[in-house]
Amino acid sequence: MTLHLISHHLCPYVQRAAISLAEKGVLFDRTYIDLSNKPDWFLKISPLGKTPVLVAENTPIFESAVILEYLEDTQPNPLHPNNPLTRARDRAWVEFGSAVLNDIAGFYNADNSENLSKKSIALSEKFTRLETEIGEGPYFNGADFSLVDAVFGPVFRYFDVFDQILDHSIFEGKPKVAHWRAMLTKRPSIVEAVSSDYNNQLLEFLKNRDSHLAALIASANLAPALSNAL
């Protein structure tokens, strides 16, 4: 069976699926689309018009959480724990990861410094909550990489760019989260879930928002530093 992942270069939900497939050692085809100009064939297989879509046996599966569960059901090297209670807990933290992504969108879309600060505080509070849940590491459940890690790899990737734009202090005083982030950042499946120019593409996306963050990027002092760093 050949799996085909319909992707967008910046979509964090696509990255979840790509990471899971890589961790399972499953070969798959991948097609990137432009979500601002969706092809007709994509709209026919994606009722919500969103990525990712995984095509398996000519059947499109949409929504990243459903795709992850399908891969758990059908592919080797499970990323869910065996214990039912731990597995349920992980599913809940996967949903928490989606809530963090919503806050990240609010962060980069904030229209002024006050709202940016509010979104920064909301993100900091979520990571404070995670600080109390992480054990001894290096991953969320300890030694074993899980779907929670697959979900938070794309979350932390945003901050590789955010960190170069402003001092947000979101991870300050959260050593467990900081260590977890560092471990995920160098995990091969997470590194390879995006193209090598991901940071540049994300920066360009952020620059084109009607947001306070875009104004910071466009400032004369920040633009050259970012150009060199990325």
Side-chain angles (χ1 to χ4, degrees):
M1 176 176 63
T2 299
L3 298 175
H4 189 181
L5 183 65
I6 314 303
S7 305
H8 178 268
H9 286 284
L10 296 179
C11 178
Y13 297 97
V14 166
Q15 293 175 49
R16 296 177 176 186
I19 293 165
S20 175
L21 286 160
E23 291 288 339
K24 292 175 177 298
V26 176
L27 297 177
F28 62 100
D29 295 329
R30 192 167 186 175
T31 297
Y32 290 94
I33 65 159
D34 181 358
L35 288 175
S36 65
N37 185 24
K38 301 169 187 174
D40 290 341
W41 64 262
F42 172 72
L43 293 173
K44 290 178 181 178
I45 65 172
S46 178
L48 299 176
K50 300 190 299 184
T51 54
V53 174
L54 183 72
V55 181
E57 300 182 39
N58 296 317
T59 300
I61 305 166
F62 58 97
E63 286 299 299
S64 65
V66 179
I67 292 170
L68 292 178
E69 293 297 331
Y70 171 76
L71 294 175
E72 287 297 291
D73 289 341
T74 62
Q75 303 301 320
N77 304 319
L79 299 179
H80 266 324
N82 289 327
N83 181 277
L85 185 58
T86 308
R87 192 160 61 245
R89 173 179 176 266
D90 276 19
R91 286 188 174 114
W93 285 105
V94 165
E95 289 303 309
F96 188 84
S98 296
V100 174
L101 285 173
N102 287 337
D103 281 348
I104 286 174
F107 179 81
Y108 65 63
N109 283 315
D111 57 356
N112 56 51
S113 60
E114 181 181 356
N115 286 332
L116 185 69
S117 177
K118 288 179 180 178
K119 296 300 181 182
S120 178
I121 291 169
L123 279 167
S124 181
E125 288 173 348
K126 281 192 167 57
F127 285 112
T128 295
R129 186 70 182 86
L130 280 162
E131 183 77 11
T132 67
E133 291 293 327
I134 301 169
E136 296 187 8
Y139 301 114
F140 187 77
N141 287 330
D144 295 328
F145 187 93
S146 71
L147 281 180
V148 181
D149 301 297
V151 164
F152 275 90
V155 167
F156 289 126
R157 199 191 309 275
Y158 277 101
F159 292 91
D160 295 342
V161 173
F162 293 159
D163 288 353
Q164 299 176 66
I165 300 170
L166 75 169
D167 181 12
H168 49 71
S169 303
I170 288 170
F171 299 112
E172 195 171 281
K174 305 174 184 69
K176 290 182 180 180
V177 170
H179 180 64
W180 184 34
R181 175 190 178 187
M183 294 303 295
L184 293 183
T185 297
K186 60 186 181 183
R187 183 88 176 184
S189 64
I190 292 173
V191 173
E192 295 165 10
V194 296
S195 60
S196 59
D197 64 342
Y198 170 89
N199 280 3
N200 284 317
Q201 291 192 55
L202 178 58
L203 179 61
E204 194 63 29
F205 169 80
L206 296 174
K207 284 169 62 177
N208 291 325
R209 313 301 293 174
D210 184 16
S211 69
H212 186 65
L213 197 63
L216 291 176
I217 295 170
S219 69
N221 291 332
L222 286 173
L226 278 169
S227 176
N228 292 333
L230 299 178

